[in-house]
Amino acid sequence: MAAILLASLLSLGAFAAPAPQSTTGGLLTGQTASDVQNGVCKPTTLIFARGTTEQGNLGGTVGPALTQALQQMLGNNNVAIQGVNYPADIAGATQGSADPKNAQGSQNMAQLAAQAVQQCPSTKVVLSGYSQGAQQVHGALLNMDAATTSKVAAAVTFGDPLSKDMPNFQGVPAGNTKIFCATGDQVCNDQFIISAAHLSYAQTSTTPAAQFIAGKVGGTTAAGGVTTNTNDAQRKQESSMSSAAPKMAGLGMRDAIVVLVGGLLTFVL
């Protein structure tokens, strides 16, 4: 079993984002959104891949937080939400780094994007993912044809293990992509070390991400420039979050056993 060490004590209460519209689920079950599968057409379609061990197809942390922020900016009636259907297990994280194109989540995300474009020709597709889910975004684009890729208005990842090896997103203009990597997050170096920095994205990055996406789909003007990492102001915010006790954001808890050892929390998966 893999042991994941947290860099500081974390609050175990209220770590999941509140449920946005179009989703179902709760704290331990994660949240599920299936608008594309249900044939829902809206001006923007967000397809999101959750992180390792998170439950539901949307997860319980970054996915719901990003969904809520985007719906608040663009309006609930303007954003369809779809989670990627894949196991999001530890074995998948290994495959996602070594062979993202053939990862199960990558193939499902590509299929969902094609379905969204086919049934809703005018929708603008946004691909996003957290941690292992970020790998699926890179891989999905390797599986898409040009017609589907041309409908991708933005690709946004958080805690991306492929940020160094695959900084670009195939077929999507660089100005329409953004990778959020918090200072000190070793997952962005493709190391399976879950620190407070890796757990910070739901609080520190989903609002800036929603602003960026809104700017690309024609909604609220995005704040700040386009970068492949977090900007200086956000880095300071994330550093502050890391030194404090953040809310539990970014790690699926259903399959984890928590052990307190010498001031550290060890998650044994």
Side-chain angles (χ1 to χ4, degrees):
M1 292 188 293
I4 303 171
L5 298 180
L6 299 185
S8 62
L9 287 176
L10 305 178
S11 169
L12 295 180
F15 66 88
Q21 194 176 78
S22 302
T23 71
T24 60
L27 182 64
L28 293 180
T29 60
Q31 293 180 19
T32 294
S34 303
D35 280 349
V36 172
Q37 291 174 272
N38 293 332
V40 176
C41 288
K42 295 183 180 181
T44 298
T45 299
L46 171 66
I47 303 175
F48 186 88
R50 69 196 188 280
T52 304
T53 79
E54 288 194 277
Q55 302 300 302
N57 66 11
L58 197 64
T61 56
V62 177
L66 177 62
T67 295
Q68 184 178 51
L70 195 58
Q71 287 179 330
Q72 287 176 344
M73 290 180 189
L74 298 180
N76 292 334
N77 293 330
N78 292 322
V79 186
I81 307 298
Q82 174 68 52
V84 173
N85 301 303
Y86 80 119
D89 55 17
I90 294 173
T94 301
Q95 183 182 21
S97 288
D99 186 15
K101 180 177 180 179
N102 291 312
Q104 186 172 338
S106 298
Q107 295 177 352
N108 183 249
M109 178 177 273
Q111 292 167 1
L112 289 167
Q115 182 178 348
V117 169
Q118 182 178 22
Q119 63 194 19
C120 312
S122 64
T123 195
K124 296 179 180 179
V125 176
V126 176
L127 304 180
S128 186
Y130 166 55
S131 198
Q132 182 182 165
Q135 298 170 337
Q136 314 311 307
V137 176
H138 290 279
L141 288 162
L142 299 177
N143 288 298
M144 288 185 194
D145 59 27
T148 302
T149 304
S150 69
K151 296 290 187 177
V152 176
V156 178
T157 58
F158 306 84
D160 190 340
L162 297 176
S163 63
K164 301 293 177 61
D165 293 337
M166 295 180 68
N168 299 314
F169 296 82
Q170 180 168 291
V172 183
N176 289 49
T177 70
K178 194 172 183 71
I179 298 176
F180 288 86
C181 276
T183 301
D185 184 0
Q186 293 304 311
V187 174
C188 288
N189 294 321
D190 203 16
Q191 298 180 31
F192 195 37
I193 301 172
I194 308 303
S195 64
H198 190 63
L199 305 179
S200 68
Y201 297 105
Q203 280 74 42
T204 63
S205 301
T206 50
T207 295
Q211 291 172 333
F212 174 80
I213 292 167
K216 299 307 172 185
V217 300
T220 303
T221 301
V226 179
T227 64
T228 55
N229 282 284
T230 49
N231 57 36
D232 291 341
Q234 189 171 329
R235 286 183 185 278
K236 291 179 181 179
Q237 183 182 15
E238 287 165 343
S239 177
S240 176
M241 289 288 297
S242 297
S243 63
K247 295 179 181 179
M248 182 67 79
L251 183 66
M253 292 289 295
R254 187 182 179 90
D255 300 325
I257 301 172
V258 184
V259 183
L260 180 62
V261 180
L264 296 175
L265 286 180
T266 301
F267 286 80
V268 183
L269 303 178

